[in-house]
Amino acid sequence: MPKTSGKRQAEDGRAVQFTTLKVRLYPSPKQAELFEKTFGCCRYIWNQMLSDQQRFYSETGAFFIPTPAKYKPGAPFLKEVDNQALIQEHNKLSQAFRAFFKDPEHFGHPKFKRKKSDRDSFTACNHEFTSGPTIYTTKDGIRMTKAGIVRAKFSRRPQAWWRLKRITVAKTRTGKYDCCILYEHRETEPVPVTPAAETTLGLKYSMQHFYVDSGGTKADPPQWRKRSQEKLVNLQRSLSRMQPGSKNYQETVQKFYQLHEHIANQRRDYIHKESRRIANAWDAVCVRADGLGALNKITTLGNVLDAGFGAFRECLRYKLARQGKQLLIVDRYFPSTRTCSACGCVMPEEISPRRQTWTCPHCGAVLHREANAAVNIKAQGLAQYFHMQEHRQSA
C-alpha cells in the first residue's frame, strides 16, 4: 500500500519524495523467533533509557539519554539482534522528547512500554557498503541483517531508481508480520492545476453515508461493513457470556482480534480506492476541517472515528498533490449546513442532524441538509483559493 511520507527539493530541481510500501512477511520459525527477540530487546532498551533519563534528570536537572551501547555489557542478549533496531529506539525516544518539549499539550511525556498493550515493532536503516546494501529486496523476499532473506508478498514493486532507506517490521494481534519499506526517489514536480467550478468537488462528512458530495451523490460503502459489524456484535455477546481465562474465551478473543483486523483492512481498502477514484476524476476537492475527535465526544448518533474519514482526507491530500491538484480546506466553523446554497441566507440556529431536509425562509428553496452543505463547502473553498491567488499576485 503506497503512501507519500513527504518531499524536499533536490539539487537538480526535482522533488525528493518518500514512498512507503507495505508488504506481508512469512518468516520461518527461526526468523520469527529472531523477530520476537528483537521486539523484546527494543522494548527493554526503551524502558532502560527512559528510566535512566528520568533518574539523571531528577538528580542533576539536566537532560540526557544514554546510548544502547551502555547496556550491552550487562545484557549480552542485546548482541543477538540487529544493532540498527536498538539505535532506532534511541532515535525514537529522542524524537518523542523533542515533540514533548515543543508542544506538551498535544504530545505527552514518553511512557514505558508494556508487552501486552504496546505494538510490537522495530525499525532498521539500510546502509550502502562496497560489498552491497545491508537491506534489499529479492524476487520473493526481503534481505535483513541477521535474519537473512525473509519471504514476503509484494502487492507493488518499487521503481528501479528508488533507494531503500529503512524498514519497519511489526506484528499484529493475530500473529501476522508486516513490513513497511521506506523508499526515497526524485520526481519531476507536477504542473499545478488551476481549479474551476466545473472540475471541483465538495465533500461533506456524513455519519450515515460516509460522505455526500456537491452533486448530491451519497458514498454508501459496500455491504461488507454492515455484515462485519453484525459479526462483531455477535462475538461481543458471546464473550460477555464466557468465563474469562477459559479455553473458549481465549479462542473467541482471537476471533475477535481477527475480525477487527479484517474490518480495518476492509476500511483501508475502501478509503484508498475511493480517494484514488476522486483524485483521478477531479482537479480539486473541497472539504471542511471538521474536528472528528471533538465531534465524536458530543454526538450520540454513532462512532464518528469508526468510518476513517480523517484517513480519507489524508489520502486525498497526497494523491491530489502528486498530480499537482489541490485539497482545499474550509474552516471548521464555516456554517455550511445552515447556509442556503440558493440565496446565501444563513439560519440563526443550527439545523438538527436528524432533519434530512429544510426549507429556506428567505427564498423558499427545499434543501437536503448534507448535499446543501457540500455545495457551500465547494463554493467557500473556491472563494478562499482565488482570494489567496489574488493576494499573492498583489504582493
Side-chain angles (χ1 to χ4, degrees):
M1 187 177 301
K3 179 179 179 181
T4 298
S5 302
K7 63 181 181 179
R8 65 172 184 265
Q9 198 68 22
E11 295 178 357
D12 57 0
R14 294 189 299 170
V16 177
Q17 292 186 353
F18 297 93
T19 300
T20 301
L21 302 183
K22 188 175 182 180
V23 301
R24 176 80 178 276
L25 297 180
Y26 298 90
S28 65
K30 188 175 181 180
Q31 291 170 336
E33 182 182 357
L34 177 62
F35 286 169
E36 295 298 329
K37 287 183 179 179
T38 307
F39 295 148
C41 289
C42 290
R43 188 168 49 248
Y44 171 84
I45 208 73
W46 173 284
N47 292 338
Q48 290 295 320
M49 290 188 297
L50 182 57
S51 176
D52 287 348
Q53 184 276 330
Q54 292 180 351
R55 180 179 56 83
F56 187 83
Y57 183 79
S58 63
E59 293 178 355
T60 65
F63 178 79
F64 173 73
I65 302 178
T67 61
K70 173 188 174 182
Y71 306 99
K72 288 187 177 180
F77 56 87
L78 295 176
K79 300 178 182 179
E80 299 178 8
V81 301
D82 184 8
N83 184 54
Q84 278 296 314
L86 305 182
I87 294 175
Q88 290 304 311
E89 288 300 307
H90 181 272
N91 295 339
K92 291 177 185 178
L93 184 59
S94 301
Q95 176 61 32
F97 271 109
R98 283 195 295 268
F100 170 69
F101 293 144
K102 184 178 180 180
D103 193 355
E105 294 183 359
H106 293 86
F107 299 96
H109 190 280
K111 298 180 180 179
F112 291 98
K113 292 185 177 182
R114 295 186 298 176
K115 184 176 182 179
K116 292 184 178 180
S117 59
D118 285 284
R119 177 171 173 260
D120 287 330
S121 67
F122 69 86
T123 301
C125 289
N126 180 32
H127 293 278
E128 300 280 351
F129 296 104
T130 54
S131 57
T134 57
I135 303 173
Y136 57 86
T137 59
T138 63
K139 181 180 179 181
D140 57 354
I142 304 174
R143 193 271 178 188
M144 304 180 191
T145 306
K146 295 201 173 183
I149 298 178
V150 182
R151 193 164 65 92
K153 184 177 181 180
F154 296 85
S155 59
R156 176 188 171 187
R157 288 285 181 173
Q159 300 295 328
W161 62 89
W162 291 10
R163 293 181 56 194
L164 195 154
K165 300 297 291 183
R166 65 171 181 262
I167 61 171
T168 299
V169 179
K171 182 182 178 183
T172 66
R173 285 182 173 267
T174 58
K176 300 174 184 176
Y177 294 93
D178 295 324
C179 181
C180 293
I181 313 173
L182 178 67
Y183 289 95
E184 178 187 78
H185 53 97
R186 296 184 180 185
E187 300 292 343
T188 304
E189 283 281 8
V191 179
V193 179
T194 302
E198 299 79 13
T199 58
T200 301
L201 184 70
L203 300 181
K204 169 67 172 69
Y205 168 71
S206 171
M207 291 189 63
Q208 184 179 1
H209 305 289
F210 188 63
Y211 73 77
V212 177
D213 66 24
S214 52
T217 304
K218 302 177 180 65
D220 292 311
Q223 290 298 316
W224 53 257
R225 181 178 177 184
K226 183 178 180 181
R227 290 195 296 266
S228 298
Q229 292 293 340
E230 291 174 353
K231 292 179 182 178
L232 189 62
V233 170
N234 293 333
L235 272 180
Q236 289 173 326
R237 288 174 180 170
S238 300
L239 276 175
S240 65
R241 294 192 295 265
M242 293 181 181
Q243 181 67 30
S246 64
K247 184 177 180 181
N248 287 339
Y249 182 86
Q250 296 298 333
E251 291 177 353
T252 307
V253 166
Q254 190 65 17
K255 292 180 181 178
F256 182 77
Y257 289 152
Q258 290 175 348
L259 183 56
H260 260 296
E261 184 177 297
H262 181 64
I263 293 174
N265 290 337
Q266 288 179 320
R267 182 192 304 114
R268 192 179 300 112
D269 180 74
Y270 174 76
I271 286 173
H272 276 280
K273 288 180 179 178
E274 188 67 12
S275 60
R276 171 54 62 195
R277 182 189 68 81
I278 294 176
N280 290 345
W282 299 90
D283 290 345
V285 179
C286 304
V287 296
R288 196 170 69 172
D290 293 318
L292 300 179
L295 184 61
N296 188 56
K297 295 179 180 178
I298 61 176
T299 186
T300 58
L301 301 179
N303 190 347
V304 176
L305 303 178
D306 187 57
F309 191 76
F312 176 71
R313 286 188 306 200
E314 177 61 20
C315 288
L316 269 179
R317 182 197 62 77
Y318 80 79
K319 288 175 181 177
L320 287 167
R322 280 191 167 186
Q323 303 179 55
K325 301 177 181 180
Q326 302 268 351
L327 178 66
L328 305 176
I329 305 297
V330 176
D331 185 76
R332 61 185 295 185
Y333 298 110
F334 171 68
S336 60
T337 304
R338 55 191 178 93
T339 301
C340 176
S341 58
C343 66
C345 175
V346 181
M347 296 289 287
E349 297 180 358
E350 189 67 39
I351 308 297
S352 172
R354 299 183 184 276
R355 291 180 59 184
Q356 294 298 317
T357 60
W358 61 283
T359 303
C360 176
H362 186 264
C363 66
V366 179
L367 306 167
H368 185 276
R369 182 179 183 275
E370 293 175 332
N372 172 70
V375 173
N376 291 328
I377 290 173
K378 171 184 172 179
Q380 180 67 12
L382 286 173
Q384 289 180 184
Y385 172 79
F386 290 117
H387 176 74
M388 187 178 299
Q389 294 300 316
E390 292 176 2
H391 178 73
R392 289 178 178 175
Q393 291 177 1
S394 62

